[in-house]
Amino acid sequence: MVSTAPTSRKVAARVVVERSNPGAVSRELWKGLLKFNREQAGPLSYTRTVLSVRDDKARVLGGLILQSYWRESYIELLWLSARARGTGFGSRLIKEAERHARRRGSRLIHVNTYSFQAPGFYRKQGYRRFGAISGSPQGESRYFYMKRLRPI
């Protein structure tokens, strides 16, 4: 009989809190993970797109950061100033992000939001909740949404 249980190996090492140069270690960790991911699933085709909403004096009133890799996209951030909320710019940012994601070949887009942020907004945009974590921050929840994208 062949065992499928993982084997335990001993490695002489220790866990360290990086204080002197956490940025360099962070970059090394990302480099290692990206190398592993490419070996397992092929090229990431990673892009990062930043969309902004600006007033007539070019001041930033809000925007969206979209990360895209393989055949999916992730809304890292969507924020609008109090002045820009309720004006339709949130929907316009989402539509532009989805257009951009479809154009690059993404088949799904996902986002997470807190209960005190915009879960209703994402539902109105056609996003479906697929998960939740409650209690952080206290009395609130974090929701995970996704939407399948039709190819162009």
Side-chain angles (χ1 to χ4, degrees), residues 111-131:
V111 64
N112 65 77
T113 189
Y114 288 97
S115 52
F116 59 86
Q117 290 177 328
F121 169 77
Y122 291 107
R123 283 192 303 272
K124 287 178 188 172
Q125 303 304 313
Y127 286 71
R128 181 181 58 84
R129 192 169 92 187
F130 68 89

Side-chain angles (χ1 to χ4, degrees), residues 1 21-22 47-48 52 58 62-63 71 82 87 92 97 116 128:
M1 174 180 252
N21 199 350
T47 59
R48 188 168 198 243
S52 65
R71 295 182 66 164
T87 61
R92 290 171 61 184
F116 59 86
R128 181 181 58 84

Side-chain angles (χ1 to χ4, degrees), residues 80-144:
L80 289 170
S81 66
R83 193 169 130 208
R85 289 183 201 132
T87 61
F89 281 112
S91 296
R92 290 171 61 184
L93 286 166
I94 288 286
K95 283 180 180 45
E96 180 61 23
E98 290 173 0
R99 187 182 71 74
H100 184 82
R102 277 194 307 278
R103 198 171 67 227
R104 69 159 306 282
S106 291
R107 296 297 175 252
L108 70 91
I109 189 167
H110 56 102
V111 64
N112 65 77
T113 189
Y114 288 97
S115 52
F116 59 86
Q117 290 177 328
F121 169 77
Y122 291 107
R123 283 192 303 272
K124 287 178 188 172
Q125 303 304 313
Y127 286 71
R128 181 181 58 84
R129 192 169 92 187
F130 68 89
I133 301 170
S134 61
S136 177
Q138 188 173 355
E140 302 291 345
S141 295
R142 186 174 191 177
Y143 299 119
F144 300 86

Side-chain angles (χ1 to χ4, degrees), residues 40-98:
Q40 301 303 308
L44 290 168
S45 301
Y46 178 84
T47 59
R48 188 168 198 243
T49 304
V50 178
L51 306 172
S52 65
V53 175
R54 293 179 176 266
D55 69 10
D56 56 358
K57 294 181 181 170
R59 292 179 294 221
V60 174
L61 299 178
L64 183 148
I65 300 172
L66 182 71
Q67 294 182 30
S68 298
Y69 39 88
W70 292 308
R71 295 182 66 164
E72 66 185 84
S73 290
Y74 169 63
I75 298 171
E76 177 183 357
L77 176 151
L78 190 160
W79 171 78
L80 289 170
S81 66
R83 193 169 130 208
R85 289 183 201 132
T87 61
F89 281 112
S91 296
R92 290 171 61 184
L93 286 166
I94 288 286
K95 283 180 180 45
E96 180 61 23
E98 290 173 0

